[in-house]
Amino acid sequence: MNKMEKALHELAEMDELAARSSPLHALHPAAKLLSTICYIVLTVSFDKYDLTGLFPMLLWPMLLFAVSGIQVRTCFYKLRIVLPLVMAVGLFNPIFDRAPLLMLGATAVSGGVVSMLTLMLKGVFCLMASFLLMATTPIDSLCAALRDLHVPGMLVSLLLLTYRYVGVMTEELAIMTDAYHLRAPGQKGIHVSAWGSFLGQLLLRSMDRAQELYASMLLRGYHEHFHYARVAPFNVRDGLFLALSLAFGALLRFVPVSTLLGNLFVR
């Protein structure tokens, strides 16, 4: 199994996660989408030095992981390629911000170190929330929720086609990679001299496949707009979840939970 086939397998696993059954999976996609957006907005609104205030924001995604039945390690495994990029966002902060901010015993910790850790946690928490949304909501249901929220149909169709075509293009890449290695046994990767022809062939195969897909869509009644998956009406349970999400997020954002817990344990 080459890298492209592994990527296809992981993409199929995401669809399998979204097809599971749990209290979180059963919620209306619009409720999950709005709660995720609100959580991300509240998370990124913390001050760059407010590390202790940011840390309790981990409670909400951890609670949702438990409700959904999805393991946290699955999230970090699926995001293993993106996480290093997110963690690298604030790596240069300690260089530019060297002023001491706090003392840990006899060691002075600069503001750059604190802001670097804060940025890293913000990125990780936002990725966890986004992963939960995708892992508990099928893409068709998510697109239907976006249309219910009056997002322009062109943007929704573009999102759906992009998600679907990633798998198609990855499949073409897997076929071409296998064919290349059969013609160059023992060679690791694709030689630089073949990059141009390889990309050109990928473009031509993608255009041919796109024409076939578009013809299939027309035969199935496509006329500039998709008929997205039908979702159940927004009910009281969905509204209660959204309200609790907003209330819990506001509590973690505006109440110094870390300070209160620290004072409680000190006593």
Side-chain angles (χ1 to χ4, degrees):
M1 182 182 294
N2 58 36
K3 294 182 179 180
M4 297 298 105
E5 292 173 339
K6 290 180 180 178
L8 279 173
H9 180 68
E10 292 192 14
L11 192 61
E13 286 181 346
M14 287 298 297
D15 291 334
E16 292 176 1
L17 288 175
R20 288 185 180 181
S21 177
S22 75
L24 187 59
H25 285 77
L27 291 172
H28 195 281
K32 290 183 282 187
L33 175 62
L34 292 174
S35 64
T36 301
I37 293 174
C38 293
Y39 175 82
I40 292 175
V41 170
L42 290 173
T43 300
V44 299
S45 67
F46 278 87
D47 186 79
K48 63 179 181 179
Y49 298 129
D50 194 5
L51 181 61
T52 56
L54 174 65
F55 198 77
M57 295 298 290
L58 178 63
L59 294 175
W60 184 239
M62 293 300 294
L63 177 61
L64 294 184
F65 272 113
V67 173
S68 65
I70 300 174
Q71 297 182 348
V72 180
R73 65 182 181 183
T74 302
C75 170
F76 288 110
Y77 177 76
K78 296 294 185 184
L79 300 175
R80 65 190 181 279
I81 298 177
V82 182
L83 279 174
L85 301 177
V86 173
M87 301 292 282
V89 170
L91 285 180
F92 294 102
N93 285 21
I95 299 176
F96 297 107
D97 188 358
R98 300 181 181 181
L101 184 65
L102 54 89
M103 299 293 296
L104 291 179
T107 305
V109 181
S110 67
V113 173
V114 175
S115 63
M116 176 187 69
L117 295 175
T118 303
L119 283 174
M120 288 180 176
L121 284 181
K122 285 181 180 181
V124 172
F125 292 171
C126 292
L127 282 178
M128 291 174 68
S130 302
F131 174 82
L132 274 170
L133 175 64
M134 296 303 300
T136 59
T137 313
I139 186 63
D140 293 330
S141 299
L142 184 59
C143 289
L146 290 173
R147 289 299 296 134
D148 291 340
L149 295 174
H150 302 288
V151 176
M154 181 179 295
L155 295 179
V156 179
S157 298
L158 182 62
L159 172 64
L160 180 60
L161 286 174
T162 302
Y163 183 86
R164 293 302 185 196
Y165 195 70
V166 165
V168 176
M169 189 174 67
T170 305
E171 184 180 354
E172 293 294 331
L173 277 172
I175 295 172
M176 292 178 60
T177 303
D178 287 339
Y180 179 85
H181 288 307
L182 288 174
R183 290 170 173 81
Q187 181 175 314
K188 186 177 181 181
I190 299 174
H191 195 269
V192 64
S193 61
W195 286 3
S197 59
F198 189 89
L199 292 176
Q201 287 294 324
L202 176 61
L203 175 62
L204 294 176
R205 292 172 66 95
S206 299
M207 292 173 63
D208 291 339
R209 191 66 180 270
Q211 289 294 335
E212 295 174 0
L213 289 174
Y214 184 65
S216 300
M217 292 160 56
L218 292 177
L219 290 173
R220 288 169 172 80
Y222 172 75
H223 295 289
E224 298 183 0
H225 295 287
F226 283 99
H227 299 288
Y228 302 104
R230 294 182 179 180
V231 294
F234 198 93
N235 55 31
V236 177
R237 178 188 58 183
D238 303 317
L240 182 61
F241 169 78
L242 182 57
L244 288 175
S245 300
L246 296 177
F248 194 70
L251 174 68
L252 297 176
R253 174 63 183 88
F254 299 107
V255 177
V257 178
S258 299
T259 304
L260 295 177
L261 291 177
N263 294 335
L264 180 64
F265 283 112
V266 168
R267 292 179 183 176

